[in-house]
């Protein structure tokens, strides 16, 4: 959390340092080590003082070294004196965050990084590593390319687009001399109340794993030991289980079983780490009473030892202090540091002061933190810096990054926005809207760059986007460009308050919108949420605001067809107004090109091809995910006790329409009987039977019909997006390993059990049989 909670008297609950299963490390290293880098690290460890080592483990926010007086006059300016203290005296090895809370020009960034690096090399001889949250494009750089948020990238079901987006972000981050981003975000957004639903790739662990892998490849390139001049280091976050707080509120406790943790929440981290991810940030929360930052079993055991991973673990914001001030598992900050470092934290995002350095030094001198742990942590920090080439080039000439903010990059961002906006309803073919019609454009989201982008956009809360993104089009501007200004009647009816809390709305002017409707042929109501980020985005009611629902209700009375555009970070409940609309488009948070993409899609100049990456709830007390257990949805029983169990959702995971129709046929499986080690090839013919070209995400699901613990209803196992012209048929081939169909049993072990399975794809299904039970004795498959 950005603001530390007040320190209350801490209860010393003590901490159970888990005797991690000493995994015999037969697992080959997740990232093969580079002998030259390792030799260099050994040299450094020999010659560094304890203070210098601890400095490498400390990360401080840029505010601490900012000269605010000078900055007021000349824009962001570093303070020489503060750099002397932080880098000169305390040998701090990492800085983070955006200065002054607002995106900077790339030249400003590069100038600051040069000063920091000159200081670092002079004082320590080791480059600083600067990290920033470029989570959907160049979040914190002006004039760069902003992509849709993670939730939209998931909806595109297009891995290559996600990879390309990350590659462009890496390029543009390098163009600021910044080598490290706190992305991709692979929390499973499994609770629609949670205010960070939109940062990650939806509710499914496979989608998060696949998109996470694609993003890591885009950010880092192909060789994790030698990150190229157009690439940066990724930081997977937040490790792990962040997306399912019991209360639905950010940074509140979760209650995830070990089984579910291993099978679902760990999956994206494991995949990305095995594919070279260089760093991981820890979940700020608490599971079953144990803060993740104190959990040696998960940090050292699962991540470092089991996967044989030599990457670096950084805390989230102030989270070591939180073990004391918030979670009360440590009596003092010093004790909190001991717990976290012994659990496996390598770098503390402290971020406001340097007492971490003095406390940790005392702990080592008192024998409370072993020197071996310090050396291990420092080796991991130095390794990351070597892998990034920072020792040879602590900063670089940014002039060669001439594609920054280019048309070429903009095209990819526009494509991503188009492929990520989901058509949910299209009664009477109300869409596409052909030019010539008069459109009443209404709703608080109709003319706002802030709403299109969401949080982490130019500022943390995203509230400065309208000042910073004037060059891009709001929905209103895009529709004017597409249909002619004279055809757009803009009357918002409901508006967000310009200052104050993100959810506050001005006194509504619904009657004005209703009056304007008489001049229109069709009504486009852009509703949803204003931007927010993290804990300030907490909610008490998932239902869409009363003003906005009243606006839609009143407009529907006019008899003009209503199209809803949902522009929101999480699925606000709209079950009372959904029946009033003929068309519904869920654009979520599509970024700077979201308005243009919407106009292209509405006009039929582009086709919809996105699918729901989460389950859209219909009622507040009926939240669900697609991989629910069978007992959550049951038909009626016989006899007197003839109750049923109905799962009633607004739109299911995987749902989405387009302007064309696809037919599936000939689902074939090459091995109807399989074992864990088999690779199963599945093929299906998909035909575009409509009149418009389109792209279809082909989703392959499995069902385990009987298992020793109640199986998930259904699970996504692969997907492929195919482009099809009208009348074109393609045979889509996907593979799965037999072991992909395994689950984690009650005993915490992966198991694939002999018995019947079904594969499903479109309306097709195929039966298959596992001939042999396999139980894994290793922690991972
Ligand atoms: C967020 C992280 C982010 C960090 C640094 C924290 O508050 O939880 O996602 O990377 O701040 O800005």
């Amino acid at each position: 959390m950005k603001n530390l909670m007040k320190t209350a008297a801490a209860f010393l609950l003590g901490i159970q340092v888990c005797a991690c299963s000493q995994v015999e490390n037969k697992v080959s290293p997740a990232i093969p080590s580079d002998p030259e880098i390792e030799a260099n690290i050994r040299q450094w460890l020999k010659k560094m003082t304890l203070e210098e080592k601890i400095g490498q483990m400390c990360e401080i926010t840029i505010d601490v070294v900012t000269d605010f007086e000078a900055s007021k006059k000349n824009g962001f300016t570093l303070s020489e004196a503060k750099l002397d203290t932080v880098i000169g005296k305390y040998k701090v090895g990492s800085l983070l965050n955006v200065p002054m809370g607002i995106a900077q020009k790339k030249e400003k960034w590069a100038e600051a990084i040069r000063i920091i690096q000159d200081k670092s090399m002079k004082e320590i001889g080791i480059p600083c590593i600067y990290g920033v949250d470029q989570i959907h494009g160049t979040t914190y750089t002006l004039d760069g390319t902003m992509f849709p948020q993670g939730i939209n990238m998931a909806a595109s079901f297009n891995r290559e687009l996600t990879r390309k987006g990350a590659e462009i972000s890496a390029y543009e981050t390098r163009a600021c001399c910044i080598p490290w981003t706190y992305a991709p975000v692979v929390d499973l957004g499994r609770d629609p109340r949670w205010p960070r639903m939109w940062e990650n790739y939806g509710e499914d662990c496979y989608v998060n794993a696949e998109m996470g892998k694609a993003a890591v490849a885009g950010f880092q390139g192909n060789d994790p030991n030698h990150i190229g001049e157009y690439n940066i280091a990724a930081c997977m976050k937040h490790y792990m289980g962040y997306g399912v707080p019991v209360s639905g509120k950010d940074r509140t406790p979760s209650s995830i079983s070990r089984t579910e943790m291993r099978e679902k929440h760990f999956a994206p981290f494991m995949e990305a780490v095995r594919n070279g991810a260089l760093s991981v940030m820890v979940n700020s929360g608490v599971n079953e009473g144990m803060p993740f930052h104190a959990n040696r079993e998960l940090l050292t055991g699962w991540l470092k030892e089991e996967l044989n991973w030599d990457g670096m673990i950084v805390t989230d914001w102030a989270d070591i202090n939180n073990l004391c001030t918030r979670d009360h598992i440590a009596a003092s900050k010093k004790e909190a540091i001991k717990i976290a470092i012994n659990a496996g934290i390598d770098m503390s995002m402290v971020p406001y002061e340097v007492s971490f350095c003095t406390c940790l030094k005392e702990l080592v001198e008192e024998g409370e933190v072993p020197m071996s742990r310090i050396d291990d942590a420092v080796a991991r920090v130095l390794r990351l810096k070597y892998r990034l080439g920072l020792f040879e080039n602590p900063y670089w000439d940014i002039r060669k990054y001439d594609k920054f903010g280019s048309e070429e990059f903009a095209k990819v961002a526009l494509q991503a926005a188009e492929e990520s906006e989901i058509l949910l309803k299209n009664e009477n073919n109300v869409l596409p809207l052909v030019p010539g019609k008069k459109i009443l454009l209404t709703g608080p989201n109709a003319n706002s760059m802030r709403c299109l982008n969401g949080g982490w956009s130019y500022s943390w809360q995203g509230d400065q986007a309208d000042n910073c993104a004037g060059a891009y089009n709001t929905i209103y501007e895009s529709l004017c460009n597409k249909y002619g200004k004279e055809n757009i009647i803009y009357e918002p009816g409901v508006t967000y308050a310009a200052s104050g809390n993100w959810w506050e709305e001005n006194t509504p002017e619904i009657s004005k919108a209703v009056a304007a409707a008489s001049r229109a042929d069709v009504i486009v109501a852009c509703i949803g949420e204003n931007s927010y980020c993290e804990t300030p985005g907490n909610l008490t009611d998932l239902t869409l605001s009363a003003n906005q629902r009243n606006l839609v209700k009143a407009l529907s009375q006019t008899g003009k067809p209503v199209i809803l555009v949902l522009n929101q970070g999480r699925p606000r409940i709209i079950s009372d107004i959904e029946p009033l609309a003929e068309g519904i488009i869920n654009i979520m948070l599509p970024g700077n090109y979201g308005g243009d993409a919407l106009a292209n899609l509405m006009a039929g100049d582009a086709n919809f091809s996105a699918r729901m990456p989460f389950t859209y709830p219909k009622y507040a007390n009926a939240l669900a995910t697609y991989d629910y257990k069978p007992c959550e949805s049951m038909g009626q029983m016989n006899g007197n006790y003839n109750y049923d169990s109905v799962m009633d959702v607004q739109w299911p995971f995987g749902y989405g329409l387009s302007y064309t129709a696809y037919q599936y046929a000939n689902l074939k499986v090459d091995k109807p009987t399989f074992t864990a080690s088999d690779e199963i090839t599945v093929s299906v013919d998909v035909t575009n039977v409509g009149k418009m070209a389109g792209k279809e995400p082909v989703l392959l699901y499995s069902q385990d019909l009987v298992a020793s613990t109640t199986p998930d209803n259904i699970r996504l196992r692969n997907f492929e997006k195919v482009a099809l012209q009208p009348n074109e048929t393609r045979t889509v081939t996907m593979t799965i390993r037999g072991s992909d169909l395994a689950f984690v049993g009650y005993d915490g072990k992966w198991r694939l059990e002999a018995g019947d399975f079904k594969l499903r794809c479109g309306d097709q299904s195929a039966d298959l049989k596992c001939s042999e039970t396999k139980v894994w004795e290793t922690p991972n498959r």
Side-chain angles (χ1 to χ4, degrees):
M1 286 208 287
K2 297 289 166 189
N3 295 315
L4 286 179
M5 288 180 188
K6 272 199 185 143
T7 312
F11 283 92
L12 176 57
L13 297 181
I15 179 136
Q16 180 199 345
V17 175
C18 164
C20 276
S21 50
Q22 271 309 317
V23 185
E24 222 188 294
N25 231 334
K26 292 196 191 116
V27 179
S28 51
I31 305 171
S33 55
D34 178 301
E36 202 182 313
I37 294 179
E38 296 309 311
N40 284 330
I41 294 171
R42 280 194 297 275
Q43 288 303 317
W44 275 112
L45 289 179
K46 267 192 223 148
K47 65 184 180 206
M48 287 168 85
T49 62
L50 179 56
E51 287 88 340
E52 283 169 340
K53 287 180 179 177
I54 287 170
Q56 289 301 307
M57 298 169 67
C58 181
E59 186 177 49
I60 294 294
T61 184
I62 190 75
D63 284 354
V64 175
V65 290
T66 297
D67 181 337
F68 284 100
E69 276 309 307
S71 299
K72 265 188 224 152
K73 280 183 242 139
N74 310 321
F76 165 58
T77 311
L78 285 161
S79 154
E80 286 273 348
K82 290 174 179 173
L83 284 173
D84 275 345
T85 309
V86 169
I87 295 180
K89 182 162 178 217
Y90 287 94
K91 316 285 179 207
V92 166
S94 181
L95 293 173
L96 87 149
N97 216 359
V98 64
M100 325 286 293
I102 184 78
Q104 301 290 323
K105 286 212 171 274
K106 64 180 191 316
E107 292 76 14
K108 195 75 179 168
W109 271 119
E111 181 196 324
I113 303 289
R114 185 183 52 74
I115 295 170
I116 291 165
Q117 294 296 36
D118 281 342
K119 186 83 185 167
S120 233
M121 295 312 279
K122 180 166 159 252
E123 298 288 345
I124 321 174
I126 295 174
C128 177
I129 181 166
Y130 202 100
V132 79
D133 293 276
Q134 308 274 55
I135 75 156
H136 69 120
T138 47
T139 311
Y140 279 153
T141 314
L142 291 170
D143 309 323
T145 309
M146 210 72 109
F147 277 81
Q149 297 281 3
I151 197 71
N152 286 65
M153 297 312 294
S156 78
F157 282 94
N158 187 334
R159 296 178 185 86
E160 176 54 14
L161 210 42
T162 300
R163 192 199 62 75
K164 259 196 205 160
E167 187 177 81
I168 290 170
S169 299
Y171 180 103
E172 294 192 342
T173 305
R174 273 268 161 185
C176 308
C177 273
I178 299 173
W180 191 27
T181 182
Y182 303 126
V185 190
V186 290
D187 305 316
L188 311 186
R190 291 169 76 76
D191 189 319
R193 299 168 301 169
W194 187 47
R196 304 193 76 170
M197 270 286 286
W198 45 273
E199 291 182 47
N200 52 70
Y201 301 112
E203 71 186 31
D204 178 52
C205 62
Y206 178 72
V207 178
N208 273 278
E210 289 300 293
M211 293 304 193
K213 255 194 310 192
V216 168
F219 284 131
Q220 296 190 173
N222 301 327
D223 181 357
N225 274 311
H226 304 98
I227 300 296
E229 58 188 348
Y230 297 111
N231 293 101
I232 57 177
C235 185
M236 312 285 301
K237 69 185 189 187
H238 306 82
Y239 182 74
M240 66 186 154
Y242 191 21
V244 285
V246 175
S247 70
K249 304 228 165 84
D250 187 38
R251 290 171 158 91
T252 60
S254 57
S255 183
I256 307 167
S257 69
R258 211 163 271 253
T259 305
E260 177 130 343
M261 192 73 91
R262 171 75 73 187
E263 188 175 323
K264 294 188 178 162
H265 297 277
F266 190 49
F269 292 94
M270 186 183 76
E271 284 297 328
V273 156
R274 283 178 171 170
N275 281 277
L278 291 176
S279 64
V280 162
M281 185 189 294
V282 181
N283 168 5
S284 282
V286 172
N287 192 52
E288 295 185 313
M290 176 67 81
F292 285 86
H293 284 78
N295 195 325
R296 185 173 191 281
E297 180 190 6
L298 300 187
L299 300 178
T300 302
W302 289 26
L303 196 54
K304 291 180 176 175
E305 292 178 353
E306 283 178 13
L307 298 179
N308 201 357
W309 178 64
D310 63 5
M312 201 269 276
I313 301 184
V314 61
T315 71
D316 201 345
W317 192 269
D319 275 322
I320 294 189
N321 281 353
N322 280 339
L323 297 180
C324 162
T325 55
R326 185 193 69 185
D327 297 331
H328 300 193
I329 68 155
S332 63
K333 283 186 189 175
K334 185 170 159 184
E335 194 191 0
I337 294 168
K338 171 181 144 185
I339 292 169
I341 301 300
N342 284 338
I345 295 292
D346 302 312
M347 181 185 279
S348 171
M349 189 189 286
V350 182
Y352 281 116
E353 39 88 30
V354 283
S355 65
F356 169 84
C357 299
T358 37
C359 290
L360 184 53
K361 182 166 178 256
E362 282 169 25
L363 286 163
V364 176
E365 286 163 354
E366 290 156 10
E368 298 285 347
V369 174
M371 198 57 212
S372 56
R373 181 69 270 277
I374 300 291
D375 281 346
D376 173 56
V378 175
R380 288 168 187 271
V381 176
L382 296 182
R383 193 174 291 121
L384 180 57
K385 293 181 176 183
Y386 272 111
R387 284 172 163 165
L388 280 164
L390 294 179
F391 282 87
E392 303 94 84
N393 295 306
Y395 56 89
W396 42 88
D397 184 354
I398 65 165
R399 279 173 303 185
K400 73 177 193 191
Y401 295 88
D402 57 358
K403 287 204 274 178
F404 179 94
S406 61
E407 273 301 305
E408 179 189 331
F409 290 175
K411 263 196 188 159
V412 183
L414 175 66
Q415 185 194 343
E418 284 177 357
E419 289 204 24
S420 74
E421 298 184 357
I422 314 167
L423 180 62
L424 293 174
K425 190 173 185 183
N426 195 16
E427 266 176 19
N428 307 318
N429 291 326
V430 65
L431 289 163
L433 274 184
V434 289
K437 292 236 165 103
K438 281 240 180 295
I439 300 172
L440 168 64
L441 184 67
T442 185
N445 294 52
N447 196 18
S448 158
M449 293 314 298
R450 173 176 175 180
C451 293
L452 285 177
N453 278 295
W456 296 122
S457 304
Y458 305 104
S459 68
W460 180 43
Q461 293 294 314
D463 52 343
Q464 297 302 315
D466 286 288
N467 303 329
C468 298
Y472 309 94
N473 294 321
T474 64
I475 295 175
Y476 168 67
E477 289 159 345
S478 299
L479 292 191
C480 286
N481 291 342
K482 182 65 76 181
Y483 292 100
K485 201 170 176 169
E486 66 286 1
N487 291 315
I488 309 295
I489 308 158
Y490 173 53
E491 193 59 70
V494 176
T495 49
Y496 296 118
S499 56
N501 289 312
W502 63 269
W503 67 83
E504 285 172 41
E505 292 168 353
N506 299 314
T507 308
E509 298 182 316
I510 294 175
S511 54
K512 279 195 184 172
V514 171
S518 62
R519 293 183 279 133
D521 301 307
V522 57
I523 298 164
V524 176
C526 303
I527 54 177
E529 298 181 321
N530 209 351
S531 77
Y532 53 80
C533 199
E534 298 189 40
T535 311
N538 281 346
L539 269 186
T540 47
D541 185 354
L542 191 58
T543 311
L544 186 73
S545 87
N547 287 339
Q548 296 193 44
R549 287 181 296 120
N550 289 339
L551 172 69
V552 175
K553 285 175 192 165
L555 287 169
S556 77
Q557 295 290 309
T558 64
K560 303 282 166 77
V562 175
I563 297 168
L564 300 181
V565 173
L566 310 178
N567 175 201
Q568 52 193 6
R570 64 196 136 187
R572 302 298 293 267
I573 289 173
I574 52 162
S575 46
D576 58 344
I577 55 169
E578 180 274 332
L580 309 178
E582 286 188 23
I584 302 183
I585 307 168
N586 187 16
I587 68 169
M588 299 176 289
L589 300 174
N592 277 339
Y593 298 93
D596 294 342
L598 180 67
N600 291 345
L601 290 162
M602 282 179 57
D605 296 338
N607 201 348
F608 289 95
S609 68
R611 297 286 180 271
M612 285 296 298
F614 55 84
T615 308
Y616 201 118
K618 199 166 178 181
Y619 305 105
N621 287 3
L623 308 181
T625 52
Y626 86 101
D627 47 352
Y628 59 82
K629 298 294 182 190
C631 59
E632 294 179 71
S633 175
M634 276 171 20
Q636 228 172 50
M637 297 191 206
N638 290 326
N640 280 340
Y641 304 103
N642 61 344
Y643 61 85
D644 56 13
S645 166
V646 178
M647 177 161 289
D648 197 358
V649 301
Q650 193 76 67
W651 291 287
F653 175 89
Y655 185 77
L657 306 169
S658 82
Y659 292 137
T660 190
Y662 302 96
Q663 213 167 59
Y664 285 67
N666 297 326
L667 179 66
K668 286 191 197 134
V669 178
D670 72 337
K671 294 188 186 70
T673 303
F674 70 96
T675 64
S677 55
D678 280 330
E679 186 166 275
I680 306 163
T681 302
V682 185
S683 66
V684 66
D685 295 343
V686 186
T687 308
N688 181 345
V689 292
K691 292 198 173 60
M692 189 172 170
K695 285 186 180 173
E696 167 78 340
V698 178
L699 309 182
L700 178 65
Y701 293 96
S702 77
Q703 279 181 303
D704 188 346
L705 300 191
V706 178
S708 58
T709 57
T710 182
D712 289 341
N713 172 52
I714 198 161
R715 287 289 292 278
L716 185 72
R717 300 301 184 185
N718 207 334
F719 59 84
E720 209 53 69
K721 196 168 197 179
V722 280
L724 291 166
Q725 294 299 319
N727 295 322
E728 186 183 354
T729 300
R730 281 211 194 184
T731 302
V732 180
T733 305
M734 290 177 270
T735 54
I736 48 176
R737 289 162 304 177
S739 58
D740 289 343
L741 304 185
F743 62 95
V744 178
Y746 191 66
D747 59 1
K749 290 185 181 166
W750 280 100
R751 354 176 15 102
L752 175 70
E753 294 177 349
D756 293 330
F757 288 77
K758 248 188 207 314
L759 290 182
R760 293 191 183 275
C761 196
D763 58 358
Q764 305 279 298
S765 73
D767 296 329
L768 61 171
K769 202 180 236 344
C770 172
S771 57
E772 194 176 287
T773 294
K774 170 162 181 163
V775 180
W776 279 258
E777 292 306 326
T778 52
N780 297 305
R781 281 170 306 166

